[in-house]
Amino acid sequence: MQQLWTDIDHYIESNLIPEDSNLKFALQNTEDQGFPDHLAVAPNQGMLLQMLIQMNQCKRVLELGTFAAYSTIWLARALPKDGYLMTIEGRDTHAALAQQNIDHANLPVNIELKVGRAADILSKIDTDTFEPFDFIFIDADKQSYPEYLDLSLKLSHSGTVIVLDNVIRAGALIDLDNQRPSIEGIRLTFEALQNHPQLLSCTALQTVGSKGHDGFAIAIVK
Ligand code: DHB
Ligand code: MG
């Protein structure tokens, strides 16, 4: 099925997703420098993230797990000129690649790339003075998703949308023999999302396509 899913993703992309030279550059630069491209979201997924931001007229966006900044560019493109995007990357090599791609895109939006462990950076933010985020995309190390969710909620307001990437992992989620920390992290995230007192609503969607079988969880803060 993988080939069919990939072909259909290409059909969707060629019909519905306008070409963008900055996104193209980001993917080519990632490949040229020998980084794997499967870590980036697919173009139609990038468009979905953009649309969620547009739908809610978000101005302040947080991304955890920048990798090559491909998704970052999608998020930033959806913002108005006075928008702000904070993106956090844990690995120096990824951050260097990301900064190149962000600089090349030269978008009219304030994009701040922070390098370090997202949990350390977020827990140092003074929530009394910091304006909360309107949209949060969690896409960093899966093991830490429960911690990232907690920290994200502290930086949210009523109506903030939180999207979590890679919550299905080709079904590893429900394979109880698989106890890798990344998969356990996702299971604990589902537990945390379940009946969470700070969430208005929450669901998860499986996706298939050029990135295999995976999925998003999406939550709205109460
Ligand atoms: C992996 C991480 C991602 O965020 C993703 O979208 C796909 C794969 C990974 O770590 O393998
Ligand atoms: Mg991801």
Side-chain angles (χ1 to χ4, degrees):
M1 293 300 277
Q2 181 57 57
Q3 189 57 51
L4 178 63
W5 298 343
T6 302
D7 291 346
I8 291 174
D9 255 8
H10 289 156
Y11 182 90
I12 295 169
E13 191 183 339
S14 61
N15 281 280
L16 302 181
I17 316 293
E19 270 207 18
D20 178 278
S21 61
N22 295 321
L23 291 168
K24 222 168 147 179
F25 175 89
L27 292 180
Q28 190 62 51
N29 193 27
T30 303
E31 190 187 317
D32 290 349
Q33 296 192 35
F35 290 97
D37 72 346
H38 73 276
L39 300 177
V41 297
N44 54 344
Q45 296 172 337
M47 182 59 94
L48 175 67
L49 297 174
Q50 174 175 300
M51 290 170 68
L52 290 169
I53 289 173
Q54 290 169 333
M55 221 179 266
N56 295 294
Q57 297 177 346
C58 301
K59 282 193 170 183
R60 294 176 59 80
V61 170
L62 170 66
E63 177 182 53
L64 308 184
T66 317
F67 180 47
Y70 178 78
S71 48
T72 315
I73 294 170
W74 272 108
L75 299 170
R77 277 181 10 158
L79 292 175
K81 283 190 177 56
D82 60 343
Y84 168 69
L85 197 166
M86 180 191 289
T87 182
I88 305 178
E89 173 54 49
R91 295 189 191 177
D92 293 345
T93 50
H94 291 176
L97 171 68
Q99 193 64 63
Q100 284 172 13
N101 291 338
I102 291 167
D103 290 346
H104 180 272
N106 194 25
L107 295 167
V109 166
N110 181 9
I111 303 177
E112 195 175 10
L113 169 63
K114 291 182 179 277
V115 187
R117 201 178 125 65
D120 294 340
I121 291 168
L122 294 181
S123 55
K124 282 191 191 117
I125 294 177
D126 179 359
T127 50
D128 289 338
T129 55
F130 191 83
E131 207 184 319
F133 292 103
D134 307 314
F135 184 90
I136 300 178
F137 182 48
I138 301 179
D139 192 22
D141 63 295
K142 318 308 167 201
Q143 182 180 347
S144 305
Y145 271 26
E147 196 179 5
Y148 295 153
L149 178 65
D150 273 353
L151 289 162
S152 293
L153 286 166
K154 291 198 173 80
L155 297 167
S156 295
H157 56 74
S158 174
T160 295
V161 173
I162 302 177
V163 174
L164 302 98
D165 196 24
N166 311 112
V167 300
I168 306 294
R169 311 273 47 205
L173 174 67
I174 62 165
D175 172 10
L176 296 183
D177 291 333
N178 188 331
Q179 295 184 352
R180 285 207 308 271
S182 59
I183 304 300
E184 288 289 356
I186 294 167
R187 290 190 194 116
L188 290 170
T189 305
F190 271 88
E191 274 180 40
L193 291 169
Q194 187 180 22
N195 300 318
H196 197 295
Q198 282 172 268
L199 293 180
L200 177 67
S201 49
C202 179
T203 190
L205 293 173
Q206 301 182 69
T207 55
V208 293
S210 57
K211 305 289 171 171
H213 174 208
D214 215 319
F216 290 114
I218 176 163
I220 303 175
V221 177
K222 196 185 277 177

mmCIF file of all heavy atoms in Angstrom, residues 38 142 166-173 180 182-183 186 211 213-215:
data_model
loop_
_atom_site.group_PDB
_atom_site.id
_atom_site.type_symbol
_atom_site.label_atom_id
_atom_site.label_comp_id
_atom_site.label_asym_id
_atom_site.label_seq_id
_atom_site.Cartn_x
_atom_site.Cartn_y
_atom_site.Cartn_z
ATOM 1 N N HIS A 38 12.412 12.182 5.928
ATOM 2 C CA HIS A 38 11.159 11.622 6.451
ATOM 3 C C HIS A 38 10.751 12.260 7.784
ATOM 4 O O HIS A 38 9.635 12.076 8.250
ATOM 5 C CB HIS A 38 11.267 10.097 6.605
ATOM 6 C CG HIS A 38 12.134 9.660 7.746
ATOM 7 N ND1 HIS A 38 13.497 9.545 7.643
ATOM 8 C CD2 HIS A 38 11.825 9.316 9.023
ATOM 9 C CE1 HIS A 38 13.984 9.154 8.816
ATOM 10 N NE2 HIS A 38 13.000 9.003 9.671
ATOM 11 N N LYS A 142 9.596 12.022 21.037
ATOM 12 C CA LYS A 142 8.277 11.497 21.425
ATOM 13 C C LYS A 142 8.240 11.066 22.903
ATOM 14 O O LYS A 142 7.187 11.100 23.548
ATOM 15 C CB LYS A 142 7.867 10.322 20.532
ATOM 16 C CG LYS A 142 8.170 10.514 19.042
ATOM 17 C CD LYS A 142 7.634 11.799 18.453
ATOM 18 C CE LYS A 142 8.199 12.110 17.077
ATOM 19 N NZ LYS A 142 8.106 13.511 16.681
ATOM 20 N N ASN A 166 2.944 12.515 14.930
ATOM 21 C CA ASN A 166 3.516 11.154 15.060
ATOM 22 C C ASN A 166 2.973 10.373 16.249
ATOM 23 O O ASN A 166 3.746 9.767 17.001
ATOM 24 C CB ASN A 166 5.050 11.220 15.167
ATOM 25 C CG ASN A 166 5.668 12.082 14.093
ATOM 26 O OD1 ASN A 166 6.212 13.145 14.384
ATOM 27 N ND2 ASN A 166 5.545 11.658 12.845
ATOM 28 N N VAL A 167 1.663 10.370 16.410
ATOM 29 C CA VAL A 167 1.078 9.690 17.566
ATOM 30 C C VAL A 167 0.596 8.267 17.253
ATOM 31 O O VAL A 167 0.026 7.610 18.133
ATOM 32 C CB VAL A 167 -0.066 10.512 18.210
ATOM 33 C CG1 VAL A 167 0.442 11.869 18.694
ATOM 34 C CG2 VAL A 167 -1.232 10.689 17.252
ATOM 35 N N ILE A 168 0.829 7.791 16.044
ATOM 36 C CA ILE A 168 0.373 6.438 15.676
ATOM 37 C C ILE A 168 1.550 5.486 15.400
ATOM 38 O O ILE A 168 1.516 4.318 15.808
ATOM 39 C CB ILE A 168 -0.570 6.474 14.454
ATOM 40 C CG1 ILE A 168 -1.743 7.442 14.685
ATOM 41 C CG2 ILE A 168 -1.052 5.075 14.090
ATOM 42 C CD1 ILE A 168 -2.721 7.051 15.786
ATOM 43 N N ARG A 169 2.567 6.012 14.731
ATOM 44 C CA ARG A 169 3.805 5.276 14.474
ATOM 45 C C ARG A 169 3.564 3.886 13.889
ATOM 46 O O ARG A 169 3.974 2.872 14.456
ATOM 47 C CB ARG A 169 4.663 5.191 15.736
ATOM 48 C CG ARG A 169 4.889 6.499 16.472
ATOM 49 C CD ARG A 169 6.043 7.341 16.039
ATOM 50 N NE ARG A 169 6.211 7.557 14.624
ATOM 51 C CZ ARG A 169 7.381 7.852 14.068
ATOM 52 N NH1 ARG A 169 8.451 7.907 14.811
ATOM 53 N NH2 ARG A 169 7.464 8.098 12.787
ATOM 54 N N ALA A 170 2.848 3.874 12.777
ATOM 55 C CA ALA A 170 2.564 2.638 12.031
ATOM 56 C C ALA A 170 1.925 1.568 12.911
ATOM 57 O O ALA A 170 2.098 0.365 12.671
ATOM 58 C CB ALA A 170 3.831 2.117 11.360
ATOM 59 N N GLY A 171 1.200 2.014 13.920
ATOM 60 C CA GLY A 171 0.488 1.075 14.788
ATOM 61 C C GLY A 171 1.285 0.626 16.002
ATOM 62 O O GLY A 171 0.755 -0.091 16.858
ATOM 63 N N ALA A 172 2.531 1.050 16.112
ATOM 64 C CA ALA A 172 3.344 0.685 17.284
ATOM 65 C C ALA A 172 2.629 1.098 18.575
ATOM 66 O O ALA A 172 2.787 0.454 19.622
ATOM 67 C CB ALA A 172 4.712 1.340 17.208
ATOM 68 N N LEU A 173 1.815 2.139 18.451
ATOM 69 C CA LEU A 173 1.024 2.632 19.585
ATOM 70 C C LEU A 173 0.290 1.505 20.312
ATOM 71 O O LEU A 173 0.270 1.463 21.551
ATOM 72 C CB LEU A 173 0.007 3.648 19.042
ATOM 73 C CG LEU A 173 -1.023 4.194 20.012
ATOM 74 C CD1 LEU A 173 -0.354 5.051 21.071
ATOM 75 C CD2 LEU A 173 -2.080 4.995 19.263
ATOM 76 N N ARG A 180 9.453 0.708 23.542
ATOM 77 C CA ARG A 180 10.466 1.754 23.332
ATOM 78 C C ARG A 180 9.998 3.040 24.028
ATOM 79 O O ARG A 180 8.798 3.343 24.027
ATOM 80 C CB ARG A 180 10.656 2.030 21.835
ATOM 81 C CG ARG A 180 11.450 0.962 21.106
ATOM 82 C CD ARG A 180 12.165 1.534 19.882
ATOM 83 N NE ARG A 180 11.281 2.274 18.997
ATOM 84 C CZ ARG A 180 10.599 1.733 17.989
ATOM 85 N NH1 ARG A 180 10.693 0.437 17.735
ATOM 86 N NH2 ARG A 180 9.825 2.475 17.224
ATOM 87 N N SER A 182 10.020 6.042 23.169
ATOM 88 C CA SER A 182 9.256 6.960 22.310
ATOM 89 C C SER A 182 7.794 6.520 22.229
ATOM 90 O O SER A 182 6.886 7.359 22.257
ATOM 91 C CB SER A 182 9.875 7.025 20.916
ATOM 92 O OG SER A 182 9.906 5.740 20.318
ATOM 93 N N ILE A 183 7.581 5.217 22.134
ATOM 94 C CA ILE A 183 6.205 4.706 22.009
ATOM 95 C C ILE A 183 5.487 4.803 23.357
ATOM 96 O O ILE A 183 4.308 5.192 23.422
ATOM 97 C CB ILE A 183 6.221 3.251 21.479
ATOM 98 C CG1 ILE A 183 6.986 3.164 20.142
ATOM 99 C CG2 ILE A 183 4.806 2.706 21.336
ATOM 100 C CD1 ILE A 183 6.426 4.004 19.013
ATOM 101 N N ILE A 186 4.211 8.214 23.802
ATOM 102 C CA ILE A 186 2.964 8.518 23.097
ATOM 103 C C ILE A 186 1.767 7.921 23.854
ATOM 104 O O ILE A 186 0.726 8.568 23.998
ATOM 105 C CB ILE A 186 3.030 8.019 21.636
ATOM 106 C CG1 ILE A 186 4.084 8.827 20.873
ATOM 107 C CG2 ILE A 186 1.680 8.152 20.957
ATOM 108 C CD1 ILE A 186 4.467 8.243 19.536
ATOM 109 N N LYS A 211 4.633 9.750 4.068
ATOM 110 C CA LYS A 211 5.386 9.564 5.318
ATOM 111 C C LYS A 211 4.992 8.274 6.029
ATOM 112 O O LYS A 211 5.248 8.110 7.229
ATOM 113 C CB LYS A 211 5.167 10.763 6.245
ATOM 114 C CG LYS A 211 5.496 12.108 5.620
ATOM 115 C CD LYS A 211 6.991 12.308 5.432
ATOM 116 C CE LYS A 211 7.258 13.565 4.616
ATOM 117 N NZ LYS A 211 8.694 13.918 4.578
ATOM 118 N N HIS A 213 2.432 5.383 7.686
ATOM 119 C CA HIS A 213 1.212 5.344 8.495
ATOM 120 C C HIS A 213 1.527 5.980 9.846
ATOM 121 O O HIS A 213 2.338 5.449 10.611
ATOM 122 C CB HIS A 213 0.778 3.877 8.661
ATOM 123 C CG HIS A 213 -0.389 3.676 9.589
ATOM 124 N ND1 HIS A 213 -0.578 2.516 10.289
ATOM 125 C CD2 HIS A 213 -1.428 4.477 9.936
ATOM 126 C CE1 HIS A 213 -1.676 2.604 11.019
ATOM 127 N NE2 HIS A 213 -2.207 3.787 10.823
ATOM 128 N N ASP A 214 0.898 7.126 10.105
ATOM 129 C CA ASP A 214 1.167 7.809 11.368
ATOM 130 C C ASP A 214 -0.073 8.602 11.734
ATOM 131 O O ASP A 214 -1.189 8.195 11.343
ATOM 132 C CB ASP A 214 2.419 8.680 11.235
ATOM 133 C CG ASP A 214 3.221 8.727 12.528
ATOM 134 O OD1 ASP A 214 2.591 8.814 13.588
ATOM 135 O OD2 ASP A 214 4.463 8.686 12.480
ATOM 136 N N GLY A 215 0.048 9.696 12.438
ATOM 137 C CA GLY A 215 -1.144 10.466 12.761
ATOM 138 C C GLY A 215 -0.865 11.662 13.639
ATOM 139 O O GLY A 215 0.220 11.819 14.185
#
